[in-house]
């Protein structure tokens, strides 16, 4: 799939709606008390189905809220959506460019390359005056069983991140993958607490802070509620200003693996090779829960 199609506009989706499968991937932090499924039923892009980030995951890892689902489980979900291996899937959310990126990365990790993110999400769609629909979508079926084909190089686990930290420490940051953290800066430094009770804030040794909000912008002053992805040049400038070398391998992380995907997606759109990008699936929750992890605080 052409890299230019990773990010699609609302007008493009409107004109191509019949030829793609659309998923609403909206998600909110628990403390926000938002019901994503109810909001989906109230208004969604015509033909869209609801991808439950809190439900389509590895259910055996109760302490880690958003781990990649097993390939067989992911395939069953795609069968229920009526999504085949060759379908072009467009994912969106109500944030603009946020949780949908996690689902984009999930599809890529499952070997499904024909997937795009709607730039600006549902707010961009409605800002164009395009219609939404209510209620449950029509039941879907698959003529052929969906077969996930996992791509291991896109996923980083705890053992790998600890080994990578060792390489960074042994070389004063010169060797190993750069760890880029998408959490708000105050949680990164340890100044603010984590949302999860009892979980330490702080960061991994040699990690670099790039809050996920820095890769989006309200580019259209007539629609300030629409957050869209920054231009490739602006994305590069944001990461380079934080001290990230875009020519070196990068692993993105966050609280539980959702906003790390926004950084992943931004870097991909900025021209960074996917061969140089990895996402730490368990992210800070998995790392900080382990009593043997080294945690740095900048207070």
């Amino acid at each position: 799939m052409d890299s230019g199609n990773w990010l699609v506009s609302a007008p493009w989706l409107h004109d191509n709606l019949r030829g793609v499968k659309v998923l609403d991937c909206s998600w909110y932090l628990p403390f926000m008390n938002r019901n994503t499924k109810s909001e989906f039923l109230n208004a969604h892009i015509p033909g869209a189905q609801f991808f439950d980030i809190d439900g389509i995951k590895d259910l055996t890892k109760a302490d880690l809220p958003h781990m990649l689902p097993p390939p067989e489980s992911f395939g069953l979900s795609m069968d229920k959506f009526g999504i085949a291996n060759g379908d072009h899937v467009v994912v969106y959310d109500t944030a603009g460019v946020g949780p949908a990126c996690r689902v984009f990365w999930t599809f890529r990790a499952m070997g499904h390359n024909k997937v795009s993110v709607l730039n600006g999400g549902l707010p961009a769609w409605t800002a164009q005056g395009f219609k939404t629909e209510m209620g449950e979508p029509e039941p879907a079926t698959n003529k052929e069983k969906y077969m996930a084909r996992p791509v291991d190089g896109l996923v980083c686990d705890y053992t790998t991140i600890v080994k990578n930290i060792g390489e960074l420490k042994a070389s004063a940051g010169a060797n190993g993958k750069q760890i880029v953290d998408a959490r708000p800066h105050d949680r990164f430094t340890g100044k603010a607490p984590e949302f999860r009770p009892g979980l330490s804030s702080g960061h991994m040794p040699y990690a670099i802070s790039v809050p996920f909000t820095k890769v989006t912008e309200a580019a259209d002053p007539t629609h300030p509620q629409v957050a869209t992805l920054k231009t490739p040049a602006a994305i590069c400038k944001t990461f380079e200003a934080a001290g990230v070398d875009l020519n070196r391998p990068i692993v993105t992380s966050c609280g539980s693996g959702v906003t790390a995907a926004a950084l992943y997606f931004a870097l991909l759109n900025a021209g960074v090779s996917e061969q140089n990008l990895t996402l730490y699936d368990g992210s800070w929750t998995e790392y900080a829960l382990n009593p043997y992890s080294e945690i740095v605080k900048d207070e």
Side-chain angles (χ1 to χ4, degrees), residues 124-143:
W125 178 269
T126 56
Q128 290 285 335
F130 299 143
K131 294 181 179 179
T132 59
E133 63 182 16
M134 300 177 63
E136 291 282 2
E138 292 291 327
T141 56
N142 248 355
K143 294 181 180 179

Side-chain angles (χ1 to χ4, degrees), residues 52-62 64-70 73:
D52 184 4
I53 288 178
D54 285 329
I56 302 176
K57 63 180 182 179
D58 189 341
L59 298 173
T60 67
K61 298 179 179 179
L64 304 174
H66 303 121
M67 299 292 278
L68 274 176
S73 174

Side-chain angles (χ1 to χ4, degrees), residues 136-160:
E136 291 282 2
E138 292 291 327
T141 56
N142 248 355
K143 294 181 180 179
E144 296 182 5
K145 182 177 176 59
Y146 187 95
M147 297 295 294
R149 299 177 177 86
V151 181
D152 292 336
L154 302 187
V155 186
C156 177
D157 60 17
Y158 180 81
T159 300
T160 303

Side-chain angles (χ1 to χ4, degrees), residues 52-291:
D52 184 4
I53 288 178
D54 285 329
I56 302 176
K57 63 180 182 179
D58 189 341
L59 298 173
T60 67
K61 298 179 179 179
D63 286 342
L64 304 174
H66 303 121
M67 299 292 278
L68 274 176
E72 299 80 8
S73 174
F74 183 80
L76 288 173
S77 295
M78 296 308 103
D79 289 338
K80 292 177 182 177
F81 290 145
I83 292 176
N85 286 85
D87 284 338
H88 183 180
V89 179
V90 176
V91 296
Y92 75 88
D93 56 49
T94 52
V97 184
C101 296
R102 168 71 190 192
V103 181
F104 171 91
W105 174 78
T106 299
F107 271 97
R108 302 286 292 188
M110 293 293 171
H112 193 123
N113 291 333
K114 293 177 69 176
V115 57
S116 307
V117 173
L118 173 59
N119 199 13
L122 187 61
W125 178 269
T126 56
Q128 290 285 335
F130 299 143
K131 294 181 179 179
T132 59
E133 63 182 16
M134 300 177 63
E136 291 282 2
E138 292 291 327
T141 56
N142 248 355
K143 294 181 180 179
E144 296 182 5
K145 182 177 176 59
Y146 187 95
M147 297 295 294
R149 299 177 177 86
V151 181
D152 292 336
L154 302 187
V155 186
C156 177
D157 60 17
Y158 180 81
T159 300
T160 303
I161 202 72
V162 170
K163 180 180 178 181
N164 185 70
I165 289 171
E167 294 178 14
L168 289 167
K169 291 176 66 177
S171 63
N175 298 323
K177 294 181 178 180
Q178 301 164 102
I179 302 169
V180 185
D181 194 319
R183 290 174 300 149
H185 189 67
D186 282 352
R187 284 165 58 196
F188 176 89
T189 63
K191 181 179 179 180
E194 291 295 314
F195 295 122
R196 182 170 177 155
L199 188 70
S200 174
S201 56
H203 61 84
M204 302 173 212
Y206 284 94
I208 301 169
S209 175
V210 181
F212 74 96
T213 52
K214 290 187 176 293
V215 300
T216 61
E217 61 183 353
D220 184 352
T222 63
H223 298 291
Q225 78 280 15
V226 180
T228 55
L229 194 69
K230 286 183 176 179
T231 65
I235 291 169
C236 290
K237 186 176 180 179
T238 295
F239 281 90
E240 289 170 346
V244 179
D245 184 346
L246 297 178
N247 294 311
R248 286 180 55 195
I250 296 167
V251 54
T252 62
S253 180
C254 62
S256 63
V258 176
T259 57
L263 297 190
Y264 188 101
F265 185 71
L267 288 163
L268 195 60
N269 277 273
V272 175
S273 169
E274 198 161 28
Q275 293 182 345
N276 273 352
L277 292 174
T278 308
L279 188 149
Y280 178 21
D281 196 19
S283 280
W284 184 252
T285 298
E286 180 180 51
Y287 184 83
L289 279 175
N290 193 309

